[in-house]
Amino acid sequence: MATVSIPAGTSALLLDIEGTTTPITFVKDILFPYIREHLEDYLSAHWEEDECKQDVHLVKKQIEEDMKQNRSCPVHTVDQTVHTDEEKAIKEIVDNVLWQMAADRKSTALKQLQGHMWRSAYASGIIKGELYQDVIPSIKRWKEQGVKVYIYSSGSVEAQKLLFGYSVEGDVLDVFDGHFDTTIGAKVECKSYERITERIGCPAEEITFLTDVAREAKAAEEAGLNVVVVVRAGNLELTDDERAHYSLVTSFSQLELSGRV
C-alpha cells in the first residue's frame, strides 16, 4: 500500500492495540488461554486479598446488571466436587468469567481481573508483550515530529502498561503520553472519543485514531477524529465499502505527517 498522509495540524495519535500494535494471535493464543488455564487457581490463592475481593465484587455487579438487562448468563449446574461456600463462590465467578470471554465481552469487570492475573505472568517472564516490528520505530519518529501518542484499548490501562512495559522490545512505556480503556466508554460509542478528546485537550480534528475495527473507526469519525484503518494478517476482513471509505495501511511506516520532516 502507498504512503498515507496524516493532516498537517495533527497533534495527537490515538492507537488501538489488538490487531493494530499487536498481533491478534498474541491475545487469542497466549493471553486468553493463560486466563482460562489459571483462573480457578488464581482465585483460590488470592480470594481473601483486598484486590481480589474488589475484582470479584465488580464481576458480581456485572452479573447483577446482566440479569437486570435480561442478558443471557451461564447456567449453573450442580457440581458434586464443590463443597464449601468459598468453592461455590469461586465456581460461580469462574463460570461467569469464562462465559464472558467466550462471548468476547469487553466489560470493565472482566478486563480488570484479567489485568491483575497477567501482571504476575509478565513480571515472572512467562509472558512478553508482542509488537509489530514497525510500531516502536514509527512512534519514535512521530514523537520527534512533535506529535503525542496515546493508547485506547478495551484491555485495562494496567494490562496495556504490562504489555508495553514487558514487551519483546523491553520497557517502551516512555513513548506514550497516556492510556485510555473502557472506563471512559465503549470503543464503538461516539461519546467515548469525545471524552478522550477532552482529556487530551485538543480539537478532535487534530487527533488521528488508528484501529483495525470498522465499528470503532465509525464511532471515532462521528466524534470528529481523523481515522486510519490498519490492515494486518489475521484481522477481521473489511467490506468493499469500508475499504473505499477509510484510509488503509498495513504498516505504521506508511504513515507520514503532512508538511513535516
Side-chain angles (χ1 to χ4, degrees):
M1 289 185 180
T3 297
V4 172
S5 293
I6 298 172
T10 299
S11 58
L13 289 168
L14 182 65
L15 312 179
D16 168 50
I17 291 180
E18 187 179 347
T20 301
T21 67
T22 297
I24 285 178
T25 51
F26 172 68
V27 178
K28 303 294 186 189
D29 299 342
I30 296 176
L31 290 185
F32 286 174
Y34 179 84
I35 299 295
R36 287 191 287 267
E37 290 166 18
H38 297 89
L39 178 58
E40 188 167 354
D41 289 343
Y42 175 87
L43 290 172
S44 297
H46 300 281
W47 191 251
E48 294 300 327
E49 297 173 13
D50 289 343
E51 183 177 82
C52 187
K53 286 180 179 179
Q54 183 187 32
D55 292 343
V56 168
H57 175 69
L58 282 180
V59 173
K60 287 181 176 178
K61 280 184 65 178
Q62 184 64 56
I63 293 171
E64 291 173 5
E65 181 63 25
D66 287 342
M67 291 178 70
K68 285 179 185 175
Q69 299 294 330
N70 292 318
R71 297 191 186 108
S72 59
C73 289
V75 177
H76 295 287
T77 55
V78 177
D79 188 340
Q80 301 297 336
T81 65
V82 173
H83 302 292
T84 68
D85 289 342
E86 181 177 306
E87 286 175 334
K88 290 176 183 176
I90 289 173
K91 182 70 165 56
E92 181 182 3
I93 298 300
V94 168
D95 287 350
N96 185 268
V97 167
L98 295 180
W99 169 75
Q100 287 198 57
M101 291 177 67
D104 198 25
R105 295 284 297 275
K106 308 291 186 184
S107 73
T108 298
L110 173 65
K111 296 303 177 181
Q112 179 171 301
L113 175 57
Q114 288 175 329
H116 290 155
M117 286 188 64
W118 287 324
R119 181 175 56 203
S120 60
Y122 278 112
S124 63
I126 294 173
I127 293 175
K128 285 189 182 294
E130 291 184 17
L131 303 171
Y132 289 110
Q133 291 184 346
D134 55 274
V135 171
I136 299 304
S138 296
I139 292 175
K140 288 180 177 177
R141 174 168 52 89
W142 300 331
K143 298 281 289 183
E144 288 171 358
Q145 294 172 312
V147 176
K148 292 186 175 181
V149 180
Y150 298 84
I151 292 289
Y152 180 30
S153 173
S154 57
S156 67
V157 167
E158 180 171 9
Q160 297 171 28
K161 290 182 175 180
L162 289 168
L163 191 156
F164 293 110
Y166 295 92
S167 83
V168 290
E169 298 190 36
D171 184 348
V172 294
L173 280 171
D174 61 348
V175 302
F176 300 108
D177 294 280
H179 299 257
F180 302 99
D181 59 19
T182 54
T183 58
I184 205 161
K187 295 181 72 184
V188 294
E189 294 176 0
C190 173
K191 285 286 185 185
S192 305
Y193 298 90
E194 292 175 354
R195 295 185 193 108
I196 288 173
T197 298
E198 290 174 7
R199 293 276 188 93
I200 290 176
C202 68
E205 60 268 21
E206 292 184 14
I207 303 172
T208 296
F209 178 48
L210 275 64
T211 181
D212 63 306
V213 180
R215 287 181 66 205
E216 296 174 3
K218 182 174 185 291
E221 196 173 45
E222 288 173 353
L225 280 67
N226 300 300
V227 173
V228 175
V229 174
V230 183
V231 180
R232 308 270 198 186
N235 287 2
L236 191 65
E237 284 290 326
L238 301 172
T239 65
D240 289 341
D241 287 345
E242 289 164 351
R243 283 183 167 276
H245 180 76
Y246 294 111
S247 297
L248 308 178
V249 295
T250 57
S251 167
F252 281 13
S253 60
Q254 293 171 249
L255 289 168
E256 295 290 345
L257 290 158
S258 300
R260 304 195 197 188
V261 180

